[in-house]
Amino acid sequence: MAAAATCSTGTRSTGSMVVAASRNNVTSFQRRGPRTSGTDSGCSRLVSISGTRPSVRNGQLLVSTGLPALDQLLGGGLAVGTVLLIEEDKYNIYSPLLFKYFLAEGIVTGHTLLVASAKEDPADILQELPAPLLDDNCKKECDEDICNHKTESNVKMKIAWRYQLLPKIEARPVSSSRFGHYYDVSKRIPQELIEASKWHGFFLPEKISSTLNEDPCSLNHGYIKLLQFIQNIIYKEGFDGSNPQKKQKNILRIGIQNLGSPLWGDDICWTENCDSNCSLTKFLYMLRGLLRTSLSACIITVPTHLIQNKAIIARVTNLSDTVVGLESFIGSEKETNPLYKDYHGLIHIRQIPQLNNLICDVSDVKDLAFKLKRKLFTIEGTWVQALVRNY
Amino acid sequence: MFPELNNLLNTTPDQVEQGKLTLLCDAKTDGSFLVHHFLSFYLKANCKVCFVALIQSFSHYNIVGQKLGVSLTTARECGQLVFLEGLKSAVDVFFRPQEEPHPLQFLREANSGNLQPLYEFVQEALKPMDSGEAAWRCPVLLVDDLSVLLSLGVGAVAVLDFVHYCRATVCREWKGNVVALVHDSGDAEDEENDILLNGLGHQSHLILRAEGLATGFCKDVHGQPKGSS
């Protein structure tokens, strides 16, 4: 089991103690770590993994999604062992960005990557990752943004003056910290970073050519191959704790693009009553099973706007842990709405998991919009504008 | 367990009703707190519990259980709790073919799935001990949740049959209880789920429904519960 080495006194740990009764009836308290199977329960030394931190709410181990603003909205980050589902925007312009941020964060923090796609070769995807903003560059970007921001915030609100006092969502990088980095989307990630990283690629057209020997179980051929690939990597590299001799624990970041699209051989996007309508849901269930028993976190993008059957969307949502929907304004009537003129789309946090807890961490602000500036993808709340609209 | 819910239902761990099917339902909100409530309630009431947990891992229920005052690890070790961890077993049955029938055997089958191995697992777990001494009060079957079985390719009729068999054995024959959670898909038009929900609604003695607020999101109030019997 892994948890942070530095358990600061500030973190409250109510209820996160485990009582393990041994044969002599002597109880030993152990701080609960992430929800991996307790293969290392005998080990009392807590090891820290780079790029992770425990959640202040329930001690759950978290990784950054690559976008600190999104981390904040999700309650600190993405929990290890869970799935982040991104509902793609209509023309699939912004969801690949979130996908790439996630992978870039993995490279910068030294995690192992597993990239699966039916459309693009994973090697090409990695070439297009955004470059990380290192501390000295970041300060320069910060300074120009601070000047712009100061002029905006000095404008006092005359009618809705109470809202002046409420905190705004951070829209600009404050400092580059170990958990969560900022990226420059106008630049590519340096080649040496990619070469130094460990990654595995699953490109469907290459893998599907071999014949399937196992008995069919109503799962799509492509999905079966992908599940086997993932399970193989997890087992071989010891992410499920099956190889305790490994000296340094690490996180496996899995990224699966356009899941459920026809490119994966799934027909839920073009017909309402499809024969294999449980293929995707079964895949998600098995994926959840693999993730819960290993030190990994997964991002998947699904074109839910194409799925004809609403019941399947509901089931897919239930089987994912965190669900974020992107709605871009391109081609919709919101594009000309003056309230949204600064933004490129809305971001909906549809679901946040309740892990090891009875309630979940929900952000206060519900109307969130995103915009893609030349270098940054930012998320901001629009609740003030929404209120003005109602008057 | 939540004392307020106990007051509403007029039960305490000392007096447990027997032979009942309770249906837990959630719409637009998460009803898993009801599952945690009943799990801790029946463990405190000294009942033998078979928990078919298909959605989350064992440690999740364990941690929440500790917050509610029960230790699942202790209960499992002393035999009071039989825990079927769906996620872990699914990985086992899917990637490593098993010789003897596995409760989640339907995952490997192509068509609408047969829940008989799962029923036999429940039967084996909850059958009364032949030793004569009554160690536990009454057997309880808890399922979290039934809607995920539909996502795994099992037909609604097969799930209803499974619940029927469980009721006949656990409730009628052994005077135990069955508690199951089903999601209400609302306007998502999930026909199979609606069939399941309506069918179980008619069979159950008590329906506990957790609904999200009609007006949308509110920070302090998460939803409203409704009970009908």
Side-chain angles (χ1 to χ4, degrees):
Chain A
M1 274 197 302
T6 51
C7 305
S8 60
T9 49
T11 44
R12 295 192 47 194
S13 54
T14 47
S16 60
M17 295 296 184
V18 174
V19 175
S22 65
R23 255 183 242 137
N24 301 332
N25 278 342
V26 172
T27 57
S28 64
F29 286 88
Q30 266 181 311
R31 185 159 213 282
R32 173 65 69 176
R35 287 167 298 108
T36 53
S37 57
T39 47
D40 296 333
S41 52
C43 162
S44 54
R45 274 180 51 85
L46 305 170
V47 284
S48 74
I49 312 174
S50 83
T52 63
R53 71 173 174 199
S55 156
V56 290
R57 262 208 178 257
N58 51 20
Q60 188 69 42
L61 198 65
L62 301 175
V63 292
S64 170
T65 54
L67 259 181
L70 187 60
D71 287 342
Q72 187 188 342
L73 291 167
L74 297 181
L78 183 64
V80 170
T82 64
V83 171
L84 168 63
L85 171 73
I86 307 279
E87 293 181 351
E88 290 174 11
D89 54 297
K90 211 161 163 199
Y91 300 102
N92 200 19
I93 299 175
Y94 301 106
S95 42
L97 262 179
L98 295 187
F99 189 76
K100 285 175 187 159
Y101 273 121
F102 185 82
L103 296 177
E105 182 71 22
I107 290 190
V108 170
T109 48
H111 296 161
T112 308
L113 298 183
L114 195 162
V115 186
S117 173
K119 193 163 72 167
E120 282 175 80
D121 196 328
D124 295 336
I125 297 178
L126 287 180
Q127 291 296 322
E128 292 171 5
L129 294 184
L133 283 172
L134 304 165
D135 282 329
D136 44 1
N137 288 347
C138 175
K139 196 159 187 318
K140 261 188 269 169
E141 313 286 341
C142 249
D143 288 340
E144 7 173 307
D145 278 347
I146 284 176
C147 301
N148 297 340
H149 205 75
K150 267 207 179 120
T151 48
E152 289 169 18
S153 56
N154 279 340
V155 173
K156 276 180 175 262
M157 298 182 192
K158 294 198 177 66
I159 297 174
W161 55 271
R162 279 201 187 274
Y163 292 97
Q164 184 106 40
L165 307 168
L166 288 176
K168 291 197 177 124
I169 294 193
E170 269 309 326
R172 54 180 172 81
V174 178
S175 70
S176 172
S177 57
R178 249 186 47 208
F179 183 90
H181 298 82
Y182 290 93
Y183 298 89
D184 182 348
V185 279
S186 61
K187 298 199 189 110
R188 295 268 173 268
I189 194 168
Q191 192 62 27
E192 51 270 14
L193 275 181
I194 301 180
E195 279 160 18
S197 70
K198 191 141 189 243
W199 63 274
H200 305 275
F202 181 95
F203 186 36
L204 188 67
E206 281 170 13
K207 307 278 182 180
I208 205 102
S209 47
S210 55
T211 53
L212 185 66
N213 292 333
E214 291 95 285
D215 44 337
C217 45
S218 84
L219 247 189
N220 192 308
H221 191 162
Y223 293 157
I224 296 179
K225 281 267 172 235
L226 179 55
L227 280 174
Q228 286 168 344
F229 183 77
I230 296 175
Q231 194 260 346
N232 201 24
I233 301 286
I234 290 179
Y235 179 68
K236 280 228 179 91
E237 308 212 350
F239 289 105
D240 55 353
S242 59
N243 193 358
Q245 283 85 20
K246 278 190 90 69
K247 43 189 181 341
Q248 187 65 27
K249 285 193 201 282
N250 205 353
I251 305 279
L252 175 68
R253 283 188 184 234
I254 305 174
I256 310 176
Q257 229 181 10
N258 307 123
L259 198 62
S261 75
L263 290 168
W264 284 97
D266 207 337
D267 57 354
I268 54 174
C269 286
W270 71 61
T271 170
E272 194 160 342
N273 296 318
C274 37
D275 301 322
S276 59
N277 63 351
C278 65
S279 208
L280 179 60
T281 44
K282 223 170 174 176
F283 170 83
L284 287 174
Y285 186 80
M286 301 308 307
L287 181 66
R288 184 186 253 219
L290 283 174
L291 290 175
R292 289 287 199 273
T293 49
S294 63
L295 278 176
S296 45
C298 179
I299 188 171
I300 50 179
T301 70
V302 177
T304 45
H305 58 97
L306 292 176
I307 297 180
Q308 308 283 325
N309 194 341
K310 279 205 269 180
I312 295 186
I313 301 178
R315 288 182 187 180
V316 164
T317 305
N318 284 337
L319 282 169
S320 314
D321 298 294
T322 315
V323 181
V324 171
L326 290 177
E327 182 193 337
S328 83
F329 294 146
I330 299 176
S332 82
E333 66 267 11
K334 292 186 179 139
E335 201 169 11
T336 50
N337 191 332
L339 294 167
Y340 293 133
K341 66 173 162 55
D342 292 330
Y343 303 106
H344 290 121
L346 296 177
I347 185 164
H348 307 280
I349 311 285
R350 299 208 200 277
Q351 185 173 279
I352 295 183
Q354 301 173 330
L355 300 167
N356 301 344
N357 226 337
L358 281 165
I359 56 172
C360 63
D361 219 1
V362 186
S363 158
D364 286 341
V365 181
K366 281 293 172 176
D367 296 301
L368 298 159
F370 65 85
K371 65 180 159 198
L372 178 60
K373 297 199 273 212
R374 191 174 62 89
K375 296 185 180 187
L376 276 176
F377 182 96
T378 57
I379 302 176
E380 289 165 17
T382 64
W383 37 263
V384 177
Q385 288 91 329
L387 210 62
V388 170
R389 175 182 64 202
N390 288 334
Y391 277 101
Chain B
M1 90 186 152
F2 303 110
E4 298 87 1
L5 200 49
N6 281 345
N7 290 340
L8 274 172
L9 297 176
N10 225 1
T11 55
T12 62
D14 302 319
Q15 344 151 263
V16 171
E17 291 186 328
Q18 292 185 288
K20 304 273 178 235
L21 167 64
T22 305
L23 177 65
L24 308 174
C25 179
D26 61 13
K28 286 200 201 131
T29 184
D30 191 359
S32 58
F33 71 95
L34 291 169
V35 174
H36 295 299
H37 161 83
F38 278 104
L39 179 60
S40 55
F41 175 78
Y42 282 119
L43 284 176
K44 280 199 181 147
N46 213 25
C47 295
K48 178 146 193 201
V49 179
C50 173
F51 189 11
V52 177
L54 298 171
I55 274 286
Q56 299 284 8
S57 62
F58 176 75
S59 53
H60 166 81
Y61 293 105
N62 196 14
I63 292 178
V64 182
Q66 273 154 24
K67 293 182 184 172
L68 295 176
V70 289
S71 165
L72 297 193
T73 8
T74 325
R76 191 163 65 165
E77 276 163 16
C78 69
Q80 188 188 8
L81 173 67
V82 177
F83 196 96
L84 174 62
E85 189 168 355
L87 291 169
K88 204 159 88 158
S89 312
V91 171
D92 286 337
V93 85
F94 192 81
F95 293 106
R96 294 174 265 274
Q98 315 273 313
E99 289 81 27
E100 67 273 1
H102 190 275
L104 300 182
Q105 194 66 30
F106 61 89
L107 284 171
R108 292 199 69 88
E109 287 163 19
N111 39 20
S112 76
N114 180 13
L115 290 176
Q116 189 161 354
L118 186 60
Y119 165 69
E120 282 163 8
F121 171 84
V122 171
Q123 208 180 13
E124 184 62 36
L126 288 180
K127 69 168 185 243
M129 308 281 267
D130 296 328
S131 56
E133 50 155 281
W136 313 110
R137 188 181 273 167
C138 65
V140 174
L141 168 64
L142 187 55
V143 185
D144 179 20
D145 56 49
L146 288 175
S147 302
V148 79
L149 289 173
L150 299 175
S151 301
L152 291 174
V154 183
V157 178
V159 181
L160 283 172
D161 284 343
F162 166 73
V163 177
H164 176 78
Y165 270 79
C166 289
R167 251 188 66 207
T169 322
V170 176
C171 294
R172 206 54 72 74
E173 207 178 310
W174 296 334
K175 305 281 185 293
N177 293 330
V178 175
V179 181
L181 174 69
V182 179
H183 295 301
D184 185 0
S185 51
D187 53 355
E189 296 154 14
D190 193 343
E191 282 175 15
E192 295 251 298
N193 203 27
D194 290 338
I195 293 175
L196 182 61
L197 196 55
N198 289 333
L200 286 180
H202 287 282
Q203 289 179 26
S204 52
H205 294 94
L206 176 66
I207 304 176
L208 279 177
R209 206 177 144 81
E211 283 178 355
L213 294 175
T215 45
F217 170 76
C218 169
K219 192 173 173 203
D220 300 315
V221 180
H222 292 127
Q224 54 194 20
K226 262 206 242 174
S228 58
S229 56

